[in-house]
Amino acid sequence: MTASNAASDLSPAPSSDGSTPAVGIRGITKRFGDVVAVDAIDLSIHDGEFFALLGPSGCGKTTTLRMIAGLDFPTEGSLTIFGQEVGTLPPNKRPVNTVFQNYALFPHMNVLENVGFGLKMQKVNKTEIVRRSSEALELVQMGAMASRQPNQLSGGQQQRVALARALVNRPKVLLLDEPLGALDLKLRQEMQTELKSLQRELGITFVFVTHDQEEALTMSDRIGIMKDGNLLQVGSPEEIYEAPANRFVADFIGQTNLLEGTVESSDTVCLANGARLSVRSTEPVGSAVAVSLRPERALLHDRDDVPDGRSSLDGVVQTVTYLGNAVVYRIALDWMTLDVRAENRPSMKRYSVTDEISVSWLPQAVAVVAQ
Amino acid sequence: MSGLAVDGDLIVGDVPDQVAQANPEFERAAEKAESRRGLIMALPAYLYLLVFFALPLVIVFVYSFATRNRFGGTDLSGWNVEAYRKLGEPIVRDILFRSLWLAIITTVLCLLFAYPFSYFLATRSATTRNIMLVFVMIPFWSNFLVRNYAWRVLLGNDGPVSQITEAIGLGETRILFTPLAVVIGLVYGFLPFMILPLYASIERIDMRLLEASRDLYASGWQSFRRVLWPLSRPGVIAGSILVFVPSLGAYVTPEILGGAKTTLLGSYIVTQFLTARNWPVGASLSFVLMSVMLGATLVYFRNGGRTL
């Protein structure tokens, strides 16, 4: 799959199978004064999928989520939730609920009252509120904490209560704004798995905002990458990792080496030092591109000992970093450095600093991205 | 205020803490020394309060059980509760209720004006807030008495207010020397005392809680009723007490704007002491007033006033 292929997913609703998207965004723009926070994006989020909006801070992902929630209103464009136009509806009139970044639990209510708040506002009768709230708390394993105050809970527990408080309303779409950001690493990984299995169990569409690419890769069915208010690429984690739409995406997702060059023909890129690499590219001839080579896709060999069928560049080992499960070599080329990651296997040949080596890879293992 | 206390704890707790883990006796000794040092530092303030506040209070209390003699003096012999009994008389009772009533109206009006303003203030940028807070304080730069006289001019029969109502065809207004004038003056005078604690307490509320409530199907009103109002309650109570208590005992404003017809507690007490020379009644009335204020303050501390 090539870069431009993945970009075709950017095309607006209706979604590929023709059904109504859970969230349909068409030409949505949000301006705050002179600042364009979100710049005419199109996006269809399918029913029942776990969708991540990923990008660095200030990229417009949170604004996009807030517009779906109704906490901000788009300056232009149309927004639908299961086909219903919601662009100007206030948040309390939308079939969506949000798990806020710092949970935003009501400090003057206990856990059960927090969870029951949405039902109370919808005038559900009292016994039903208690029953459903307790059920929701059980679902997130917080049943024993019902009478606690929020400030008596740990971060992870507050997180679960916030989740229960949103889910108890049986929203059609659940919005999560960096829900795991405040948790420590171990808890975060635990919650990732839990969120994922919860989503599968309930079948609710989850839209999830994060700046953590690893989190997005692990949890989501599809990822939308945003930068400066634009949606750069939408695709499955695999599509985005293997076939990044452009240089920013390649660099943002995972680690990569970007070798700058010019497209010479449909299967050759000429690098800055004049070396020619054989690649597969659909970028126009003559355009400036970067060849993205992931550190784990490259191998090291003794100089002039590269097997047939592999592209290679010569270099010198500059540093060696031992990580336990792998060794990362920084290789000095004539005009730049490359990182190469070698899994730590008993058979692996170890190199040391100043060794003259060749870096090699399979032509289909690199992606050509537009500058 | 709480921030200061925390800082203090940190500084004090820093070094002895590590030592104390090994030696609990040392910890106790350090605590004792600390509280002794605190007492010494607080001593001047305690002494001042004792001499100039507690002692006079005791004197007033004693006098409230004394008897007025024929010459306008006070006999300290023959303790009785005659002065308190006098408070049940219709004339005093009316004054008491009128004062209560005006104080309540003043407090409610202040709350109605101050709440939206404080909310607005609390949701602005830091610069705007500071500028607007300065505007709230500006009246304090000139004398309270002078400002009350200014209202006398504004509300007078030929004053600007009357001229305006006349110009737009509503006829001449006669506000000065009515209870309304007193309320206007009191609201004007005490509004900042409502705004400041309200602002302080609303400013501390995480506004995302309001968004969360809207997201959980609360209308704008419900959001206010269920989240903003309960969370701002310490400010509401503090502000209400700061307005209610001085309104109840107000002397200057009713004297200047109220005229002779609306005698209020403050004026009545002054009259008892200075004109009628009936110190026991003045003293007993002062005490009743003080106990009402004390009650209000207790209500405040009961309702989570600690957080302010």
Side-chain angles (χ1 to χ4, degrees):
Chain A
M1 178 165 264
T2 61
S4 57
N5 241 345
S8 69
D9 237 303
L10 282 170
S11 56
S15 54
S16 47
D17 57 355
S19 64
T20 325
V23 179
I25 292 174
R26 258 165 268 184
I28 288 267
T29 296
K30 176 68 185 177
R31 283 187 214 100
F32 295 103
D34 289 340
V35 182
V36 183
V38 173
D39 192 3
I41 65 169
D42 292 307
L43 173 67
S44 291
I45 298 170
H46 309 317
D47 186 10
E49 87 175 329
F50 201 125
F51 191 93
L53 275 170
L54 173 66
S57 61
C59 70
K61 57 190 192 298
T62 297
T63 306
T64 306
L65 194 80
R66 288 173 57 85
M67 285 192 284
I68 302 174
L71 299 170
D72 279 322
F73 295 115
T75 318
E76 278 163 35
S78 120
L79 183 75
T80 58
I81 293 172
F82 286 97
Q84 186 203 358
E85 177 66 44
V86 296
T88 55
L89 280 184
N92 52 328
K93 299 274 163 64
R94 300 187 184 205
V96 301
N97 290 110
T98 310
V99 176
F100 288 84
Q101 185 164 15
N102 290 87
Y103 322 131
L105 297 180
F106 304 123
H108 57 304
M109 300 179 196
N110 69 21
V111 165
L112 193 72
E113 287 163 347
N114 259 285
V115 176
F117 187 86
L119 298 175
K120 190 172 173 182
M121 292 301 110
Q122 294 175 91
K123 308 255 179 330
V124 175
N125 77 54
K126 276 192 186 121
T127 39
E128 180 81 356
I129 292 179
V130 173
R131 192 182 61 78
R132 279 172 62 182
S133 305
S134 311
E135 232 174 64
L137 282 172
E138 289 301 333
L139 187 71
V140 295
Q141 290 144 40
M142 288 290 292
M145 306 282 179
S147 53
R148 297 275 185 95
Q149 295 297 125
N151 61 10
Q152 297 173 303
L153 303 179
S154 70
Q157 290 170 331
Q158 292 186 30
Q159 160 74 71
R160 284 161 195 271
V161 174
L163 197 59
R165 185 176 71 172
L167 286 173
V168 75
N169 305 294
R170 298 176 188 146
K172 288 184 171 172
V173 179
L174 183 73
L175 308 172
L176 305 104
D177 186 6
E178 304 253 12
L180 308 179
L183 305 181
D184 60 52
L185 182 67
K186 196 148 183 280
L187 201 54
R188 193 157 63 213
Q189 286 167 342
E190 215 176 279
M191 283 303 293
Q192 283 175 9
T193 333
E194 220 170 297
L195 270 181
K196 184 70 200 156
S197 63
L198 201 60
Q199 189 263 343
R200 230 175 261 138
E201 198 178 315
L202 299 169
I204 295 175
T205 310
F206 277 34
V207 182
F208 175 73
V209 157
T210 181
H211 65 271
D212 182 338
Q213 44 108 2
E214 201 182 310
E215 203 166 274
L217 288 176
T218 354
M219 296 166 74
S220 2
D221 298 319
R222 285 198 307 152
I223 299 173
I225 309 244
M226 291 189 72
K227 188 202 172 202
D228 299 336
N230 294 300
L231 195 56
L232 298 181
Q233 186 174 11
V234 179
S236 67
E238 199 178 337
E239 282 164 356
I240 285 183
Y241 191 79
E242 303 288 341
N246 56 40
R247 185 196 169 100
F248 175 82
V249 175
D251 203 26
F252 190 70
I253 300 288
Q255 268 123 32
T256 197
N257 300 294
L258 291 166
L259 303 135
E260 328 239 315
T262 320
V263 177
E264 225 170 49
S265 70
S266 65
D267 56 2
T268 324
V269 165
C270 180
L271 293 187
N273 72 331
R276 287 180 171 72
L277 294 183
S278 103
V279 294
R280 289 193 288 182
S281 165
T282 50
E283 297 298 323
V285 171
S287 63
V289 293
V291 176
S292 161
L293 171 64
R294 302 274 183 199
E296 76 277 9
R297 295 283 164 84
L299 290 176
L300 294 186
H301 310 274
D302 297 338
R303 195 61 73 76
D304 305 321
D305 195 18
V306 178
D308 288 343
R310 297 180 70 90
S311 310
S312 71
L313 289 167
D314 292 343
V316 178
V317 176
Q318 197 177 52
T319 62
V320 180
T321 311
Y322 179 76
L323 298 178
N325 60 350
V327 179
V328 173
Y329 297 95
R330 174 149 294 172
I331 308 300
L333 306 181
D334 293 343
W335 75 105
M336 65 179 291
T337 61
L338 284 184
D339 284 346
V340 175
R341 182 187 166 100
E343 291 302 313
N344 192 356
R345 296 199 186 84
S347 60
M348 179 184 73
K349 171 152 192 197
R350 293 283 295 270
Y351 292 93
S352 38
V353 176
T354 69
D355 283 356
E356 300 197 338
I357 44 83
S358 294
V359 184
S360 87
W361 61 90
L362 291 168
Q364 61 268 34
V366 294
V368 176
V369 292
Q371 285 287 22
Chain B
M1 256 167 32
S2 59
L4 274 177
V6 169
D7 285 352
D9 277 348
L10 280 177
I11 296 161
V12 174
D14 224 20
V15 179
D17 237 23
Q18 293 163 346
V19 188
Q21 270 174 355
N23 188 349
E25 239 169 75
F26 178 84
E27 187 183 26
R28 269 199 297 276
E31 246 170 46
K32 251 189 190 169
E34 182 52 40
S35 79
R36 217 177 304 135
R37 208 178 319 152
L39 190 67
I40 290 168
M41 300 224 268
L43 209 56
Y46 276 134
L47 272 178
Y48 185 91
L49 282 176
L50 190 75
V51 174
F52 295 105
F53 180 71
L55 219 59
L57 214 59
V58 170
I59 294 173
V60 173
F61 190 65
V62 167
Y63 266 77
S64 73
F65 293 102
T67 322
R68 176 185 185 270
N69 65 26
R70 280 182 294 156
F71 314 105
T74 307
D75 291 338
L76 287 177
S77 57
W79 307 110
N80 60 71
V81 289
E82 201 47 48
Y84 285 93
R85 210 166 278 152
K86 202 152 187 274
L87 303 187
E89 283 175 14
I91 179 162
V92 184
R93 215 180 46 209
D94 283 356
I95 289 172
L96 201 63
F97 280 128
R98 189 187 300 139
S99 295
L100 265 176
W101 178 230
L102 281 184
I104 289 170
I105 291 180
T106 304
T107 309
V108 170
L109 285 177
C110 278
L111 189 60
L112 284 178
F113 290 132
Y115 203 100
F117 180 78
S118 304
Y119 178 78
F120 178 78
L121 204 59
T123 50
R124 294 309 103 180
S125 71
T127 338
T128 321
R129 276 180 203 187
N130 291 337
I131 292 172
M132 291 179 75
L133 277 174
V134 169
F135 279 118
V136 172
M137 313 277 205
I138 279 182
F140 290 121
W141 296 355
S142 72
N143 186 287
F144 188 61
L145 204 64
V146 172
R147 286 184 283 138
N148 274 286
Y149 272 107
W151 274 107
R152 195 161 171 162
V153 175
L154 285 171
L155 298 176
N157 288 350
D158 299 320
V161 174
S162 188
Q163 282 171 4
I164 288 169
T165 52
E166 218 169 341
I168 58 175
L170 291 175
E172 194 184 33
T173 41
R174 296 176 177 279
I175 298 176
L176 192 63
F177 304 136
T178 65
L180 179 61
V182 177
V183 169
I184 290 175
L186 289 175
V187 168
Y188 161 79
F190 296 135
L191 195 58
F193 296 111
M194 183 66 92
I195 290 175
L196 295 177
L198 261 184
Y199 161 76
S201 104
I202 295 176
E203 191 256 351
R204 221 171 348 191
I205 297 173
D206 183 355
M207 289 300 155
R208 280 173 302 191
L209 294 173
L210 297 184
E211 294 191 334
S213 72
R214 295 303 310 272
D215 183 68
L216 292 163
Y217 310 107
S219 62
W221 165 251
Q222 285 169 317
S223 231
F224 166 74
R225 172 78 190 70
R226 302 280 173 192
V227 180
L228 189 63
W229 178 258
L231 289 176
S232 62
R233 219 176 52 170
V236 171
I237 293 170
S240 298
I241 288 173
L242 287 181
V243 172
F244 179 77
V245 167
S247 300
L248 191 57
Y251 173 67
V252 172
T253 305
E255 276 296 297
I256 296 173
L257 300 175
K261 274 179 289 179
T262 33
T263 309
L264 295 180
L265 263 182
S267 317
Y268 188 74
I269 293 174
V270 171
T271 313
Q272 289 308 306
F273 275 111
L274 300 185
T275 317
R277 297 204 61 83
N278 193 340
W279 286 24
V281 169
S284 63
L285 204 49
S286 298
F287 246 86
V288 169
L289 189 59
M290 247 183 291
S291 44
V292 171
M293 291 170 182
L294 184 70
T297 315
L298 284 179
V299 167
Y300 166 61
F301 280 113
R302 270 251 178 112
N303 283 281
R306 294 170 300 273
T307 57
L308 196 86

